[in-house]
Amino acid sequence: MKVKHFLQFNDLSKDELEYLFERTRLIKQKFKSYQQYWPLTDRTLVMIFEKASTRTRLSFEAGMQQLGGSAIYLNTRDSQLGRGEPVEDAGQVISRMSDIVMIRTFEQSIIERFAANSRVPVINGLTNEYHPCQILADIYTYIEQRGSIQGKTVAWIGDSNNMCNTWLQAAEILDFNVHVSTPPGYEVEPERAGLYGHEHYEEFKDPMEAARNADLVTTDVWTSMGWEAENDERLKDFADWQVDEDMMAVAAPDALFMHCLPAHRGEEVSAGVMSSPQSVVWEEAENRLHVQKALMEYLLLGKIK
Ligand code: CP
Ligand code: NVA
């Protein structure tokens, strides 16, 4: 049987996503009411980090333990991955000793090569191109707060990075619209974003126009992990792309604000917007735990009848 991976958002169909969101709701409910739920007893998750993390590590490790399994943390510094062992060999070996693997790395091609050699499901915990687990949490958070995202407008303000690409893929599957505004020179690259069409997104030169009437305004750091050498240049190039109170004022009256975190107040978002009633950043972070529990359950056990 073919192993099911989650390497990019469109690895899951609309039907699978709807199933996952429903499981997330139930699994979250169990967690909130202190009900023990151990469907993954004796299963082992290996987490491989080639970049820093707080939320991703914590949510996967805690999530696996809460489902009755255990999690092992590996990083480039203390494993042979940092000393040039081919990723194909790592895929063969690690997947013989575990039940499921999560990887945070640089190029998408690295995780794809690992997965092609893995006997067990592989989950993308962030690559240069995509951050699919975060968008699962973000969309679940939207649904929880406002209902279906179908037909809604998400304004993406800032860098066309891994988060932006994943929003664009999600819009194609779940039928909503993304208004993107990036500074010149930082525009969306459709092929890199894994897009098939241009139907679900529109680009705006002016970030205020992208945010106008949006149901959700979202942004991310101006300098992602791996691009640190460009930081000074980016601080200048992105200066007019801050989500602030004036920008939220042109969005829909009940618009939400999201940020995957970590945030840089005073750069991509003002301190006021971060702590405004429209901001759901803490709910968004918490929901990483619940959606990823549903994801691991699905990849390992399939649909629960
Ligand atoms: N949002 C997110 O992935 O956070 P970490 O980098 O802390 O894992
Ligand atoms: N775009 C950011 C997200 C961090 C969670 C990065 O890749 O660094």
Side-chain angles (χ1 to χ4, degrees), residues 51 104 126-127 131 161-163 220-221 223-225 260-262:
K51 291 176 177 172
R104 168 168 285 195
L126 181 147
T127 56
H131 198 0
N161 61 13
N162 40 16
M163 284 291 298
D220 186 15
V221 290
T223 305
S224 286
M225 292 180 279
C260 67
L261 308 178

Side-chain angles (χ1 to χ4, degrees), residues 49 52-57 104 125-126 131 134 225 260-262 288:
F49 283 91
S53 168
T54 298
R55 280 145 287 267
T56 303
R57 177 179 177 180
R104 168 168 285 195
L126 181 147
H131 198 0
Q134 182 69 52
M225 292 180 279
C260 67
L261 308 178
R288 290 290 301 278

Side-chain angles (χ1 to χ4, degrees), residues 25-86:
R25 194 179 63 76
L26 293 169
I27 288 171
K28 181 170 180 176
Q29 218 170 48
K30 289 183 201 293
F31 177 75
K32 295 286 180 186
S33 57
Y34 302 96
Q35 277 179 58
Q36 195 180 78
Y37 180 55
W38 286 358
L40 302 185
T41 311
D42 290 337
R43 306 291 177 112
T44 304
L45 162 72
V46 171
M47 307 181 294
I48 302 170
F49 283 91
E50 300 211 83
K51 291 176 177 172
S53 168
T54 298
R55 280 145 287 267
T56 303
R57 177 179 177 180
L58 189 57
S59 52
F60 269 104
E61 190 163 339
M64 193 42 152
Q65 281 174 16
Q66 290 161 17
L67 293 175
S70 56
I72 295 173
Y73 171 81
L74 288 181
N75 66 30
T76 315
R77 206 178 48 249
D78 325 319
S79 68
Q80 299 290 3
L81 287 163
R83 299 181 61 253
E85 180 165 16

Side-chain angles (χ1 to χ4, degrees), residues 3 20 23 83 87-88 100-101 105 122 124 149 155 175 204 242 244-245 254 299 301-302:
V3 179
L20 274 192
R23 286 304 296 171
R83 299 181 61 253
V87 70
E88 289 78 5
I100 188 162
V101 178
T105 186
V122 178
N124 182 342
I149 198 164
D175 189 25
F204 293 78
Q242 180 183 100
D244 59 11
E245 287 81 341
D254 67 343
L299 294 178
L301 305 181

